[in-house]
Amino acid sequence: MPEVPRIVVLTGAGVSQESGLATFRDLGGIWSQVRLEEVATPEAFAADPARVHAFYSARRAQLIEPGVQPNAAHRALARLDAAWPADFLLVTQNVDDLHERAGSTRMVQMHGALNRVRCTACGAVTPWREQLDMRTPCPSCSRTTLRPDIVWFGEMPMQMGRIAEALAGCTLFVSIGTSGQVHPAAGFVAEVRDHAHTVELNLEQSAGSMLFDEVAQGPATKSVPAFVDRLLATL
Ligand code: OAD
């Protein structure tokens, strides 16, 4: 019997688009409404923390809107995680909580999470569902030094050691709903190509499509459950 593949799945904003959360670079996407230099860098936070807090507080509030729920793609990936008998890691660039709510557990949020805050003074990381502003005290040290627990441009993504290990050991790499424009995630496919079969599931052609062995275009709620069903049928 052939060896069961060791899987890394990378997801981006496209996987949450059908749950009602905007992507970044599509028409009408987040970066067409606000300049990333003004809200998603350490320099922006130093210059105008109120603006940065307002941007992330609005996105955090979206997560508790009744219409924002995990979709069939999130659920299929949770099903794969639960059933897959070999190494599996879901690496998401998304800061929403939809993979978690769908039930994924072997998962890394490499760009951080909207539902956590981090204290820049004491380092405490705290679950957070509320608005956040410059007057909010840290639940651990009471200082007003909280920031979103989000990776900004120019900062190191989270858990890169665990991700590097999974990439080095994987034999199947699947990229879903990401435009392939932000590094280091955009470089993962090139890192694994010599030892893994690579698959891209995206609405349209991405910047890196030509690097994949297999490419399928379409909405994630259709392509991901179909792909997961095919994979589970090989067990
Ligand atoms: P992008 O907005 O750059 O790309 C989203 C991709 O999803 C595009 O290629 C779309 O074609 C595709 N897409 C849209 N709707 C889809 C659907 N229903 N089904 C499948 N695919 C769909 O978002 P990301 O690649 O995730 O980082 O962006 C990467 C990072 O850039 C984000 O994590 C964020 C952003 O700046 C930080 O803020 C640090």
Side-chain angles (χ1 to χ4, degrees):
M1 186 154 155
E3 210 184 324
V4 179
R6 296 184 294 277
I7 304 177
V8 173
V9 175
L10 171 70
T11 63
V15 85
S16 296
Q17 187 267 337
E18 292 165 270
S19 294
L21 299 179
T23 60
F24 292 93
R25 295 174 182 78
D26 292 307
L27 200 67
I30 292 172
W31 296 151
S32 70
Q33 292 164 29
V34 51
R35 293 181 61 231
L36 74 85
E37 294 82 0
E38 290 176 12
V39 292
T41 65
E43 294 76 18
F45 189 58
D48 194 347
R51 168 116 202 248
V52 173
H53 277 315
F55 173 72
Y56 288 102
S57 288
R59 292 179 61 200
R60 188 178 305 111
Q62 270 193 301
L63 300 184
I64 53 174
E65 286 173 11
V68 176
Q69 299 293 337
N71 65 43
H74 299 106
R75 290 196 298 272
L77 291 171
R79 203 153 47 83
L80 181 61
D81 178 5
W84 200 248
D87 287 355
F88 174 91
L89 186 65
L90 170 60
V91 180
T92 187
Q93 300 169 86
N94 298 344
V95 295
D96 64 50
D97 58 357
L98 297 178
H99 283 306
E100 190 185 333
R101 277 158 61 186
S104 284
T105 57
R106 291 184 278 179
M107 181 180 88
V108 170
Q109 282 187 284
M110 67 180 290
H111 289 168
L114 284 168
N115 61 13
R116 297 192 306 250
V117 292
R118 188 185 341 145
C119 180
T120 59
C122 76
V125 173
T126 311
W128 204 261
R129 296 277 169 195
E130 317 295 322
Q131 300 294 299
L132 183 62
D133 63 36
M134 293 311 291
R135 298 179 305 268
T136 316
C138 168
S140 292
C141 73
S142 300
R143 278 174 282 190
T144 51
T145 41
L146 293 174
R147 59 167 280 179
D149 196 24
I150 296 282
V151 176
W152 287 322
F153 285 89
E155 296 183 320
M156 179 66 92
M158 296 177 183
Q159 300 195 50
M160 284 307 288
R162 184 175 176 199
I163 295 171
E165 196 181 322
L167 290 171
C170 76
T171 55
L172 174 61
F173 175 77
V174 190
S175 171
I176 305 170
T178 174
S179 62
Q181 296 197 43
V182 175
H183 283 271
F188 291 170
V189 60
E191 271 180 56
V192 302
R193 281 175 78 194
D194 64 347
H195 58 268
H197 182 70
T198 56
V199 180
E200 178 180 69
L201 308 176
N202 205 50
L203 190 62
E204 57 193 14
Q205 197 164 357
S206 78
S209 288
M210 76 294 292
L211 297 172
F212 290 84
D213 298 317
E214 230 183 288
V215 174
Q217 289 175 7
T221 55
K222 295 277 179 297
S223 62
V224 179
F227 181 79
V228 166
D229 287 344
R230 274 206 310 280
L231 214 47
L232 290 176
T234 64
L235 289 178

